[in-house]
């Protein structure tokens, strides 16, 4: 069944499209970069963002960033402990910036936060409410981390969620495919092309 999208009530999320997460020189690039490259996730996502902008659909980015010295970092899980060990994701550094291929454009929104989910401790919900959004479309890296965590929070907040499976990835195909299977009961699963067709 074709997707049905109310463009006036929809936003596209771009989660952690950051140099330190994706680029080969980034702290986590060796983990996530090869899969991003293998599956062409960046070009797929770029088409989604460009088409959304043309359709007047908000594009909202999230960045996980910390202050120099990491006074706002809680290292209660291995992933966040690794952030401090690798001295990465510091606000104001090149590694914390959005990758050039998906650089925010005028009118796009950028939300900063300090945890796995884009909702936790951020103004993401405020932006969504202010824009009268009821449907969230998910892109980003990694599927099993910020994408899944933010999507589950969105479900609990009562939003319709659509996961674009070719606009996100994880450290391996097995992990990514497992996430897709897990989220089939919580999210509509679609492709970039299916979403683009629905909003043109």
């Amino acid at each position: 069944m074709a997707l049905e999208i109310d463009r006036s009530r929809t936003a596209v999320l771009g989660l952690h499209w950051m140099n330190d997460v994706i680029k080969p020189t980034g702290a986590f690039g060796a983990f996530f970069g090869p899969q991003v490259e293998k599956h062409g996730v960046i070009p797929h996502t770029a088409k989604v963002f460009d088409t959304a902008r043309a359709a007047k659909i908000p594009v909202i980015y999230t960045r996980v960033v910390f202050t120099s010295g990491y006074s706002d970092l809680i290292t209660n899980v291995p992933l966040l402990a690794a952030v401090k060990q690798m001295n990465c994701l510091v606000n104001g550094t090149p590694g914390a910036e959005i990758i050039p291929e998906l650089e925010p454009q005028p009118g796009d929104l950028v939300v900063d936060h300090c945890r796995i989910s884009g909702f936790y401790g951020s103004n993401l919900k405020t932006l969504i409410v202010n824009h009268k959004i009821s449907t969230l479309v998910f892109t980003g890296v990694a599927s099993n981390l910020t994408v899944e965590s933010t999507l589950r929070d969105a479900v609990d907040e009562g939003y319709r969620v659509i996961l674009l499976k070719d606009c996100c990835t994880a450290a391996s195909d097995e992990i990514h495919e497992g996430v897709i299977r897990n989220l089939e009961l919580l999210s509509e699963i679609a492709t970039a092309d299916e979403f683009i067709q629905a909003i043109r």
Side-chain angles (χ1 to χ4, degrees):
M1 181 181 296
L3 280 178
E4 294 186 4
I5 302 291
D6 180 349
R7 292 185 291 182
S8 68
R9 302 294 303 279
T10 298
V12 175
L13 300 184
L15 308 180
H16 295 186
W17 289 112
M18 303 165 65
N19 290 319
D20 262 342
V21 175
I22 294 167
K23 289 298 185 178
T25 56
F28 293 99
F31 294 100
F32 303 122
Q35 288 294 107
V36 169
E37 181 71 22
K38 174 183 175 181
H39 294 290
V41 176
I42 293 173
H44 292 156
T45 304
K47 288 196 304 181
V48 166
F49 287 2
D50 288 345
T51 309
R53 293 178 185 118
K56 309 300 183 186
I57 292 174
V59 176
I60 306 175
Y61 294 81
T62 68
R63 299 189 311 152
V64 56
V65 293
F66 305 94
T67 58
S68 178
Y70 296 107
S71 61
D72 49 353
L73 172 63
I74 303 172
T75 57
N76 61 316
V77 296
L79 177 66
L80 295 177
V83 168
K84 187 171 184 179
Q85 291 168 2
M86 292 190 287
N87 192 33
C88 63
L89 299 174
V90 175
N91 200 13
T93 65
E97 297 305 316
I98 305 297
I99 61 173
E101 299 94 325
L102 298 176
E103 184 178 13
Q105 301 300 305
D108 294 345
L109 303 167
V110 181
V111 172
D112 291 344
H113 64 101
C114 296
R115 301 298 292 168
I116 308 300
S117 170
F119 279 99
Y120 190 90
S122 79
N123 65 338
L124 178 58
K125 184 176 179 181
T126 299
L127 293 177
I128 293 168
V129 170
N130 286 349
H131 283 79
K132 297 179 172 56
I133 299 301
S134 60
T135 297
L136 297 174
V137 180
F138 282 76
T139 76
V141 177
S143 311
N144 59 315
L145 296 168
T146 189
V147 175
E148 181 170 9
S149 182
T150 308
L151 187 149
R152 288 179 181 273
D153 280 352
V155 169
D156 286 340
E157 292 286 351
Y159 298 108
R160 176 193 180 196
V161 296
I162 300 170
L163 177 60
L164 301 184
K165 63 183 179 181
D166 54 352
C167 293
C168 56
T169 191
S172 71
D173 288 341
E174 292 77 14
I175 293 172
H176 175 67
E177 291 162 5
V179 170
I180 299 301
R181 288 193 296 272
N182 284 342
L183 295 179
E184 285 177 341
L185 294 178
L186 300 178
S187 172
E188 296 170 64
I189 309 296
T191 65
D193 285 344
E194 288 169 341
F195 175 69
I196 288 168
Q197 183 64 34
I199 63 174
R200 276 182 169 162

